[in-house]
């Protein structure tokens, strides 16, 4: 009995075209074209350029492209670095055995009752680290059957399995993007908290409480997103403000220290020297000398 894929209220036969590991491709260009097949392209190594519809993107390791039938596309494999990728090409056939012009994303969104990011339709998405073995195994299963004439009759099932894995990866990537957006918003709120409270002593524990995180986790997430720790960010903000106050006001150094949350002017002076290479007094004196009208 022929296997048929049930999706979007219709049944489709799967006609496998080809699956390959394409290794070390260098400056291999394929002009803009279209045809009634699906392409699944998973980049393993190197770089290239892929245009889907009117959107050009840089192919890089860990990206998965899903190109729907008759969508114009072009490739430049190995743009500066040799590119290695896994590719699977297949068609879905309708009840009349004609190539069906259906959209992968429409099918899986209907199946799950949940939308994927719109940019997934014309751009690749990054395969979550934890899901890379799942996707690679799916390609390898198709490859194993394709290489053996005796088992090619099972290719439709293997391609359906690969599609199921690609669907799981797409929704996994979507969840990671949502989590990233959420963490970016959280980091922005922590930055605002630190900026708003730079005029008083602030501890890491207090900042972590504000973010509803443990101090260690906050430090890790904050550094991943900004390259510095929360307290490092606060100190840099205070030093920028200190430079402004020293340059634009006549406030004594101890008053500036107090305004920036430092209880001891001597400690403020040491921090300022480490950040700028000179004491607050020397910094102000140098600016005054430079700006003095001659």
């Amino acid at each position: 009995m022929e296997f048929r894929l049930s999706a979007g209220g219709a049944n489709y036969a799967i006609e496998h075209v080809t699956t390959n590991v394409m290794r070390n491709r260098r400056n291999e260009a394929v002009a803009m074209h279209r045809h009634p097949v699906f392409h699944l392209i998973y980049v393993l190594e190197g770089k290239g350029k892929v245009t889907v519809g009117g959107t050009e993107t840089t192919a890089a390791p860990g990206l998965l492209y899903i190109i729907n039938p008759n969508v114009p596309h072009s490739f430049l494999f190995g743009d500066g670095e040799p590119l290695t990728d896994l590719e699977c090409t297949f068609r879905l056939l309708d009840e009349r055995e004609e190539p069906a012009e259906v959209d992968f994303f429409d099918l899986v969104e209907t199946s799950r009752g949940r939308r994927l990011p719109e940019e997934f339709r014309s751009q690749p998405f990054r395969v979550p680290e934890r899901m890379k073995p799942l996707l690679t195994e799916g390609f390898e299963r198709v490859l194993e059957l394709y290489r053996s004439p005796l088992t090619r009759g099972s290719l439709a099932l293997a391609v359906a399995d690969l599609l199921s894995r690609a669907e799981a990866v797409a929704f996994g990537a979507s969840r990671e993007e949502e989590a990233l957006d959420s963490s970016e918003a959280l980091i922005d709120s922590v930055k605002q908290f630190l900026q708003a409270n730079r005029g008083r002593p602030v501890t890491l524990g207090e900042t972590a409480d504000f973010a509803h995180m443990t101090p260690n986790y906050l430090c890790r997430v904050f550094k991943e997103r900004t390259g510095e720790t929360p307290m490092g960010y606060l100190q840099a903000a205070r030093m920028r403000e200190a430079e402004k106050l020293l340059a634009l006001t006549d406030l004594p150094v101890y008053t500036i220290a107090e305004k920036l949350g430092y209880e001891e002017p001597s400690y403020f002076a040491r921090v300022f020297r480490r950040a700028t290479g000179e004491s607050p007094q020397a910094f102000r004196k140098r600016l005054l000398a430079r700006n003095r009208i001659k």
Side-chain angles (χ1 to χ4, degrees), residues 7-9 104-117 121 167 171 174-175 178:
F104 169 86
F105 300 100
D106 288 343
L107 293 178
V108 299
E109 287 175 353
T110 300
S111 170
R112 295 223 180 185
R114 180 172 168 231
R115 297 280 294 173
L116 286 165
R121 294 171 181 267
E167 175 186 347
F171 281 97
S174 175
R175 284 191 294 273
E178 290 169 1

Side-chain angles (χ1 to χ4, degrees), residues 153-215:
S154 302
L155 272 169
L157 279 170
V159 173
D161 174 66
L162 177 58
L163 280 173
S164 177
R165 292 166 188 252
E167 175 186 347
V169 167
F171 281 97
S174 175
R175 284 191 294 273
E176 288 211 347
E177 284 202 356
E178 290 169 1
L180 180 60
D181 290 343
S182 175
S183 65
E184 291 287 357
L186 179 61
I187 295 306
D188 285 343
S189 70
V190 170
K191 287 180 178 180
Q192 291 169 15
F193 170 81
L194 294 171
Q195 287 281 1
N197 291 280
R198 67 183 185 275
R200 67 174 184 84
V202 179
T203 66
L204 176 61
E206 180 185 357
T207 308
D209 287 343
F210 168 81
H212 303 292
M213 294 179 171
T214 65

